[in-house]
Amino acid sequence: QIYKLANGQKIIIANKKGPAFINTTYNVGSMNEPDNIRGISHFIEHNLFNGSKNLAPKEYDLKVSKLGGNTNASTSFAATDYYLQLQLLNDNSLEEAIKLNAEQTQFPTFPNEQLIKEKEPVKSEIDMCNDDPNTVAVCKVLKNLFGIKTSSEDFVIGTKSNINSFTRNTVLDYFNTWYTPDNAVTVITGDINPDETINLVAKYFNKQNDYSQINKRIYEPLKYNDKPV
């Protein structure tokens, strides 16, 4: 079943055996970042676990764990995913999980102290990625094939100097530009009733679109290279 909410967010619901899986994807990644803030989509991914309008920092993880679930996120060149998986052990498990995913992805608060603290694990991840020959090779190939101009060895994760430069205003500006309902898709699968599920989704995914910053959206220009490098 495929739906679109009044705010423009797309919803896909599939009834199937197995645990429930809730995934919200925003159509934004490193190909939407100016090089001076390359890595900000990944940095925001980390910080969506650090508090939102109705959740204290780290409370999201704790509540998912109490539901018997697990959660994670990932950032790529053109998409960022936030997801959780759980067995529907109680009558309210699905509603609680949808509520948590909606709260996390729509209404993060980006506390300044958490932003500062999160820079260190992200910079450690940069070292780890830059030490991985496969990651470095893939990025070099993509840079050469498509003429991507970047100072980042791994241009999904960015550079340490970029991470150090991010302020709360930088993060909020980028978040408000890209993380709007019309730019999101939520997929829910599991042993669920689609009609009941879409009503729950509409109840909690209720953020209104703000198009005031849509003119700031950029897309990496790809110049296809058909010559040897």
Side-chain angles (χ1 to χ4, degrees):
Q1 305 293 318
I2 301 174
Y3 309 83
K4 182 185 282 189
L5 300 181
N7 62 11
Q9 185 160 343
K10 300 173 188 69
I11 310 295
I12 301 170
I13 298 174
N15 179 273
K16 57 178 286 189
K17 291 184 178 180
F21 188 81
I22 302 168
N23 182 97
T24 294
T25 298
Y26 284 98
N27 297 313
V28 63
S30 63
M31 293 296 194
N32 307 110
E33 304 165 349
D35 204 44
N36 66 319
I37 58 168
R38 191 87 69 176
I40 196 168
S41 299
H42 176 254
F43 185 65
I44 285 175
E45 175 214 309
H46 274 243
N47 281 284
L48 257 63
F49 292 85
N50 288 338
S52 53
K53 187 168 67 173
N54 295 306
L55 294 170
K58 308 304 180 185
E59 188 179 3
Y60 171 83
D61 290 312
L62 181 62
K63 289 198 169 187
V64 171
S65 181
K66 284 184 176 179
L67 287 174
N70 61 79
T71 182
N72 213 327
S74 66
T75 304
S76 65
F77 302 113
T80 311
D81 297 294
Y82 303 89
Y83 58 90
L84 61 93
Q85 181 177 351
L86 72 159
Q87 300 289 342
L88 300 177
L89 302 177
N90 301 308
D91 290 343
N92 68 336
S93 293
L94 180 62
E95 181 170 3
E96 285 299 309
I98 290 172
K99 181 179 178 181
L100 285 169
N101 188 256
E103 178 73 24
Q104 179 199 32
T105 57
Q106 294 180 114
F107 306 113
T109 50
F110 300 116
N112 196 52
E113 65 275 12
Q114 294 294 327
L115 289 172
I116 294 170
K117 188 182 297 184
E118 199 63 42
K119 290 183 178 185
E120 295 310 312
V122 171
K123 288 189 289 185
S124 295
E125 202 171 334
I126 290 173
D127 286 334
M128 182 177 66
C129 288
N130 289 347
D131 282 340
D132 177 15
N134 185 63
T135 298
V136 173
V138 167
C139 285
K140 283 188 181 294
V141 168
L142 291 173
K143 288 179 193 179
N144 288 334
L145 282 176
F146 302 118
I148 297 169
K149 305 298 182 184
T150 178
S151 56
S152 302
E153 288 289 329
D154 177 346
F155 51 93
V156 170
I157 205 165
T159 64
K160 289 184 180 180
S161 60
N162 280 0
I163 302 302
N164 284 332
S165 73
F166 294 158
T167 66
R168 186 170 185 271
N169 284 339
T170 311
V171 169
L172 282 171
D173 184 63
Y174 190 80
F175 183 84
N176 291 332
T177 299
W178 287 100
Y179 293 73
T180 54
D182 65 294
N183 202 39
V185 180
T186 295
V187 179
I188 303 177
T189 68
D191 189 11
I192 55 178
N193 180 302
D195 292 335
E196 294 175 0
T197 302
I198 190 59
N199 287 330
L200 292 173
V201 171
K203 178 180 178 181
Y204 293 108
F205 281 91
N206 54 18
K207 182 178 179 179
Q208 297 305 301
N209 272 307
D210 178 1
Y211 295 111
S212 62
Q213 299 197 137
I214 198 169
N215 63 325
K216 293 183 180 180
R217 292 183 181 179
I218 69 163
Y219 298 87
E220 186 78 40
L222 301 180
K223 300 175 182 177
Y224 301 102
N225 183 15
D226 59 359
K227 299 177 182 179
V229 176

